[in-house]
C-alpha cells in the first residue's frame, strides 16, 4: 500500500513574530507565474529591475547590489567570506545573538577577532569601538555590526561608528536583516561599505533571498585578495559576473523568488521609503503605548534605541512564556516570537514589519495578549491598552 498524502493546506496564521511575516497576496501571486530560464533576456530584464529597486531600498548607487541565493545568514556569510582572509583582523560588535553569529563567521574565516560588547538591550558605545582600534596590535580590516538586533529589539546608531572605522582605514559591514525596508538605512550617506539583509522581514517577502550591497572600497578589497574566497557558492568575484554586464552562469538563479522580491520591492517603491518608515514607527508607537497602559514594559528601556520593526516586551513575573504563546496560536492563530539566548523565557518578540505593520494587527494583538495573560491569572486593563493605542493613531 502506498502512503496517501493529504493536499497541502496550511492553516491561516497571523505572523507577528521576528519573521517570516505577512506577505502581500500580489507577492504570492507573482510566484505562480511560469518560469523563464535564468539566462533568458526577458528574465535578465527582471533581474535588472530587481537590482534597481534594491538600490532604491538600500539608498545606494552601488552597482553590486544583488539578491544572494539563501536566507539572511547567506548574506552574512557572503560578506564575511568575501572580505576576510586568514590572519586578517576584524572588530565585531556583539550585543545579541546576531552579533554572536557575525563573530562566529569572522572567526571561521580565520580572522583575528576583537569583540566589542554591550549588555543585551543596550547599544554598542562608539567609544568602545575607538578603544578597540587603539588596542589592536595592527591594521583592522573591518568593523562588523548589527543595525537591528532581532534578539533584543535594539536599533544601533551607525554614523559615529562609521566615522571611526573610516578614520582607522577599516571597512564598515552592517547587518540590516531586520531594518531594510522598515527603518531608515542610508548605505551611501552613512558610509556603509557592505550590507546584507533578508527577504522575510520588513521586505515582506517569503524567506529565501538575501539582498547584499557592496561599495567600491569593499570591491577593491575583494579584487586584491591573496587567496581564493573560501566558499565557491558565495564567491562574489564570480557571482558578480552573472549580475553584471557579462551575464555568465554561476549557479541557477531562484527564478520565482526573484519574481517575489521584485514585487515586494515594487510595493515599497510605490509606498515610498519615508511613508513606510513613518508607518512602521506609528504602529510600533501605538503598540508600545498599549503595552505600557496594560502595565507591561518594553525590554529596551531607552525609547530612542527601540526598533519599530521588532518590539521586545518583558514577560511579567509569574507568566509562562510558552503557555501564553501557545494560547495565542491556538485561539487567535497569532504567532509571536519567544526570547533567544540571554532573553530566553524573559521577552516576547513582536514583529510589526512590512505587511504585518498594521493598525488592525496592533489592536488585535493587544487584546489577544491581554486575554493570554488573563488566562494565567495576570489581570490587565484591555480597555486602557486599546485606548492608549488609539490615542496614538488619532493624534
Ligand atoms: C539580525 C539578523 N541577522 C541575521 C539573521 C539570519 O537570517 P536567516 O535566519 O534568514 O538566515 C537574522 C534572522 O533572524 C537576523 O534577525
Amino acid at each position: 500500500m502506498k502512503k496517501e498524502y493529504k493536499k497541502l493546506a496550511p492553516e491561516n496564521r497571523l505572523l507577528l513574530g521576528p519573521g517570516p511575516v505577512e506577505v502581500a497576496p500580489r507577492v504570492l501571486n507573482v510566484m505562480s507565474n511560469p518560469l523563464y530560464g535564468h539566462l533568458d533576456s526577458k528574465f535578465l530584464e527582471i533581474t535588472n529591475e530587481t537590482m534597481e529597486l534594491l538600490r532604491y531600498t538600500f539608498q545606494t548607487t552601488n552597482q553590486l547590489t544583488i539578491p544572494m541565493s539563501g536566507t539572511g545568514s547567506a548574506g552574512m556569510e557572503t560578506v564575511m567570506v568575501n572580505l576576510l582572509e586568514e590572519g586578517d583582523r576584524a572588530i565585531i560588535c556583539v550585543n545579541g545573538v546576531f552579533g554572536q553569529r557575525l563573530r562566529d563567521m569572522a572567526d571561521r574565516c580565520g580572522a583575528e577577532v576583537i569583540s566589542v560588547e554591550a549588555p543585551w538591550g543596550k547599544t554598542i558605545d562608539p567609544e568602545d569601538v575607538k578603544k578597540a582600534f587603539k588596542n589592536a596590535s595592527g591594521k583592522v580590516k573591518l568593523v562588523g555590526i548589527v543595525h537591528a538586533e532581532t534578539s533584543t529589539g535594539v536599533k544601533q546608531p551607525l554614523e559615529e561608528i562609521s566615522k571611526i572605522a573610516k578614520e582607522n582605514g577599516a571597512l564598515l559591514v552592517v547587518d540590516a536583516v531586520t531594518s531594510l525596508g522598515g527603518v531608515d538605512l542610508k548605505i551611501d550617506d552613512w558610509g556603509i561599505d557592505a550590507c546584507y539583509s533578508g527577504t522575510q522581514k520588513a521586505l515582506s517577502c517569503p524567506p529565501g533571498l538575501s539582498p547584499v550591497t557592496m561599495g567600491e572600497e569593499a570591491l577593491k578589497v575583494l579584487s586584491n585578495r591573496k587567496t581564493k574566497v573560501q566558499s565557491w557558492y558565495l564567491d562574489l568575484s564570480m557571482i558578480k559576473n552573472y549580475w553584471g554586464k557579462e551575464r555568465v552562469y554561476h549557479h541557477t538563479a531562484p527564478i520565482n523568488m526573484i519574481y517575489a522580491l521584485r514585487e515586494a520591492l515594487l510595493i515599497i517603491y510605490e509606498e515610498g521609503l519615508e511613508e513606510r518608515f513613518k508607518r512602521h514607527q506609528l504602529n510600533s508607537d501605538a503598540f508600545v503605548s498599549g503595552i505600557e497602559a496594560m502595565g507591561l514594559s518594553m525590554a529596551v528601556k531607552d525609547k530612542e534605541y527601540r526598533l519599530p520593526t521588532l518590539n521586545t516586551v518583558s514577560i511579567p513575573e509569574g507568566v509562562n512564556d510558552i503557555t501564553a504563546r501557545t494560547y495565542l496560536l491556538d485561539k487567535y492563530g497569532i504567532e509571536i516570537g519567544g526570547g533567544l539566548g540571554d532573553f530566553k523565557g524573559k521577552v516576547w518578540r513582536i514583529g510589526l514589519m512590512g505587511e504585518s505593520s498594521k493598525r488592525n494587527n496592533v489592536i488585535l494583538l493587544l487584546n489577544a495578549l491581554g486575554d493570554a495573560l488573563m488566562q494565567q491569572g495576570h489581570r490587565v486593563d484591555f480597555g486602557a491598552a486599546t485606548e492608549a493605542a488609539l490615542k496614538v493613531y488619532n493624534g
Side-chain angles (χ1 to χ4, degrees), residues 146-157:
V146 180
H147 184 213
E149 185 41 89
T150 323
S151 60
T152 62
V154 163
K155 179 174 71 175
Q156 174 69 45

Side-chain angles (χ1 to χ4, degrees), residues 18-19 70-76 97-99 101-102 105 146-151 175-179 196-201 207-210 307 310 340 349 353:
T71 61
S73 305
M76 189 188 280
V97 163
F98 296 100
R101 189 175 296 183
L102 197 55
M105 287 192 188
V146 180
H147 184 213
E149 185 41 89
T150 323
S151 60
D175 177 320
V177 171
T178 301
S179 56
Y196 56 87
S197 187
T199 43
Q200 76 275 22
K201 312 263 184 179
L209 292 176
S210 175
L307 276 173
L310 197 286
L340 294 177
R349 296 184 301 145
M353 307 185 231

Side-chain angles (χ1 to χ4, degrees), residues 246-264:
E246 294 160 67
R247 295 303 190 165
V248 183
Y249 163 70
H250 175 263
H251 67 269
T252 309
I255 310 293
N256 299 50
M257 265 310 295
I258 290 170
Y259 292 169
L261 177 60
R262 179 189 174 279
E263 196 67 16

